[in-house]
Amino acid sequence: MLTDTVCAALSAAGLGIAGVTAYRKRFLAATRIAAYALVPLGLAMTGIVDWVAGLVFKPTVWMGFGLLGLSWVLFMIGRAVERRSGGTRKERRAAAAAGRAGVSAGASEPALGSGRGAAGGKAAGRPKAKGGTSSGTDDFSDIEAILKKHGI
């Protein structure tokens, strides 16, 4: 009952301000003010204001919102831990199963996949360079040449 009275008073005050604004020949602004002024009275007449007031003053409603917030926080913590641990549960299970079965890491890579699998296949077919250096040091000599060229 009190909420209906407050809403009616707010609407009356808003309509009064709209009337003064219309008197000053600002009809567009007066129309907008009147529209906003009628909202509280319309909400009170539909019963939404009483429903919201009933929600606000019930402790069980606030405990429910608290539980929803707690569940959201727990969900976000779980997501953060999952990202940090590397992959989803299915991916971790597949990796563990592959480790137990003795499958090598390069066997599951596609033929044109990452550089590790493709370079490993090419390096195995090449003879080793003189002096026991691997093809990895050849890559570093290229980098050194580029750095020297730029004076670094």
Side-chain angles (χ1 to χ4, degrees):
M1 188 70 167
L2 179 65
T3 55
D4 295 339
T5 307
V6 170
C7 288
L10 282 173
S11 292
L15 289 174
I17 292 170
V20 170
T21 306
Y23 180 76
R24 293 182 181 169
K25 309 252 187 231
R26 298 182 61 209
F27 298 111
L28 186 61
T31 305
R32 257 188 261 122
I33 292 171
Y36 283 122
L38 292 174
V39 168
L41 188 60
L43 290 175
M45 292 176 83
T46 59
I48 293 175
V49 174
D50 293 329
W51 178 73
V52 170
L55 284 177
V56 170
F57 296 118
K58 288 183 182 176
T60 56
V61 172
W62 287 106
M63 285 190 285
F65 282 125
L67 287 175
L68 287 174
L70 178 65
S71 69
W72 181 79
V73 167
L74 290 174
F75 179 71
M76 296 312 283
I77 288 171
R79 296 272 308 217
V81 168
E82 183 179 20
R83 277 194 211 129
R84 199 165 231 204
S85 67
T88 62
R89 185 182 309 170
K90 289 181 182 179
E91 292 171 350
R92 288 191 303 269
R93 284 184 183 169
R100 278 181 265 147
V103 177
S104 67
S108 63
E109 292 181 7
L112 298 175
S114 65
R116 187 175 50 164
K122 290 179 185 175
R126 282 192 209 150
K128 289 189 176 181
K130 292 182 182 177
T133 59
S134 67
S135 63
T137 56
D138 293 337
D139 293 337
F140 287 119
S141 64
D142 293 341
I143 294 171
E144 287 177 11
I146 293 170
L147 292 174
K148 285 179 184 177
K149 179 181 174 184
H150 291 287
I152 299 175

